[in-house]
Amino acid sequence: MPSTLPPSAATDALTDRLLALLQWRSRIFHAGRYCGHWRASTAGHQLASFHWVMQGACWLHRPGHESRRLQAGEGVCLLRDERHHLSPHAEPAAVGAGPLQPMQAASCAAARGEDNTDCALVCGFVQFDGPQAAVLAASLPAVLWLHDGDGAQRALLPLLLAEARRMPDPDSPGPVLQRLSDLLLMLALREPLHQALQPRAAGRGAHGLMALAGEPALAPLLQALLADPAADWTAERMAGELHLSRASFFRLFTQAVGQPPAQFLLALRMQLAAQRLREGVSIARTAEQVGYQSESAFARAFQRVNGAQPGHFRRQHGATH
């Protein structure tokens, strides 16, 4: 059944479900304080990356884009690996005096001189997983901004800085700092996901899940699929959910999403299955929850879509978050 929630509440609920489906792993590269003449970048690793400013300020420089100042409480997540660097200088090519200074522990005394180059940062990498993760990430903006106006964020940043100050080595972040950084990343991801679900976003380069969510005529079907993925979702049943003929539904779905309904349903079920296995759900229960009565049939489908047997995937990724 389509959602009976008010439109705004239904969008919030769908945003949270998509955020859960956007499986990712992050790793802090380093966390500490830069002072004097410094330059930092996470480019060139073929991964998405992030930079959170815990204290002070710096400038983000991206070739072909206007430089942007980031102050305490702000951050950026670059979903594509692109050339960029952070520095204390407004001009990308500005050269300070002396050699580049390495990152120091966040607990070191701030060396704030007249040039105001002190900046405490958390920098790291993000990797997206699962069959629908790539299309979800591709539907988001290349750059996500974390602004200092969010209340949850304002509460997290002091905790992040306090935890970073406990670390004697900037290159050895602890588990608490990693979890706090993950929360900031979720905040950065949530708003663009919410925006992508608005009807005006339909047809603007979205693919897969995001195209389905952003198409008003099809969005109720996505809610129904997520609410009951184990149901017998034939093309006729999907068309009936939207009160369309089978031919009209197939044409609209394929045009909007870029793949046939059955192919999309398989990818969605396997993305949900990967989510369940990460949460520690048994293979048998996971298979049942995504519509498979046979564990062997589920294992074949999971292997085909996710590239690994369910047991191996669960041992490798289970209960990591």
Side-chain angles (χ1 to χ4, degrees), residues 32-33 53-56 106-107 120-122 156-167 177 180:
R33 186 184 303 279
V53 183
M54 297 183 291
Q55 193 175 54
S107 59
L121 286 167
V122 175
L156 283 173
L157 260 297
L159 295 175
L160 199 74
L161 181 58
E163 191 63 28
R165 283 173 170 164
R166 295 182 64 250
M167 298 166 37
L177 188 68
L180 290 171

Side-chain angles (χ1 to χ4, degrees), residues 277 283 302-303 306-318:
L277 293 173
I283 296 173
F302 192 90
Q303 167 81 39
N306 287 309
Q309 285 290 318
H312 177 75
F313 183 93
R314 188 171 183 269
R315 287 190 298 272
Q316 189 173 29
H317 301 288

Side-chain angles (χ1 to χ4, degrees), residues 107-228:
S107 59
C108 75
R112 302 182 74 90
E114 293 182 0
D115 54 359
N116 200 26
T117 60
D118 173 62
C119 183
L121 286 167
V122 175
C123 306
F125 302 102
V126 187
Q127 184 171 347
F128 295 95
D129 300 317
Q132 285 290 345
V135 291
L136 268 170
S139 299
L140 295 171
V143 180
L144 308 180
W145 302 102
L146 198 65
H147 302 288
D148 65 355
D150 185 272
Q153 182 182 327
R154 286 198 303 271
L156 283 173
L157 260 297
L159 295 175
L160 199 74
L161 181 58
E163 191 63 28
R165 283 173 170 164
R166 295 182 64 250
M167 298 166 37
D169 182 357
D171 299 326
S172 300
V176 175
L177 188 68
Q178 181 67 61
R179 293 300 179 93
L180 290 171
S181 177
D182 285 347
L183 288 174
L184 286 175
L185 184 58
M186 291 185 77
L187 290 174
L189 287 165
R190 184 173 62 181
E191 182 57 27
L193 274 176
H194 188 276
Q195 290 299 320
L197 294 180
Q198 305 308 313
R200 61 182 173 81
R204 295 191 179 183
H207 304 281
L209 276 168
M210 300 313 298
L212 186 58
E215 171 56 58
L218 294 172
L221 174 61
L222 177 58
Q223 296 182 36
L225 293 174
L226 289 171
D228 190 9

Side-chain angles (χ1 to χ4, degrees), residues 193-268:
L193 274 176
H194 188 276
Q195 290 299 320
L197 294 180
Q198 305 308 313
R200 61 182 173 81
R204 295 191 179 183
H207 304 281
L209 276 168
M210 300 313 298
L212 186 58
E215 171 56 58
L218 294 172
L221 174 61
L222 177 58
Q223 296 182 36
L225 293 174
L226 289 171
D228 190 9
D232 183 17
W233 287 109
T234 62
E236 289 77 10
R237 178 169 180 173
M238 293 187 205
E241 189 77 25
L242 301 173
H243 308 290
L244 295 173
S245 69
R246 187 183 187 281
S248 296
F249 162 70
F250 196 91
R251 183 173 59 254
L252 176 62
F253 188 100
T254 305
Q255 181 179 4
V257 180
Q259 58 186 168
Q263 184 179 344
F264 172 84
L265 178 61
L266 174 63
L268 178 62

Side-chain angles (χ1 to χ4, degrees), residues 1 46 72 78 140-141 182 196 218 288 290 293 308 316:
M1 292 292 291
Q46 304 303 310
L78 304 164
L140 295 171
D182 285 347
L218 294 172
E288 181 183 349
V290 295
Q293 299 305 312
Q316 189 173 29

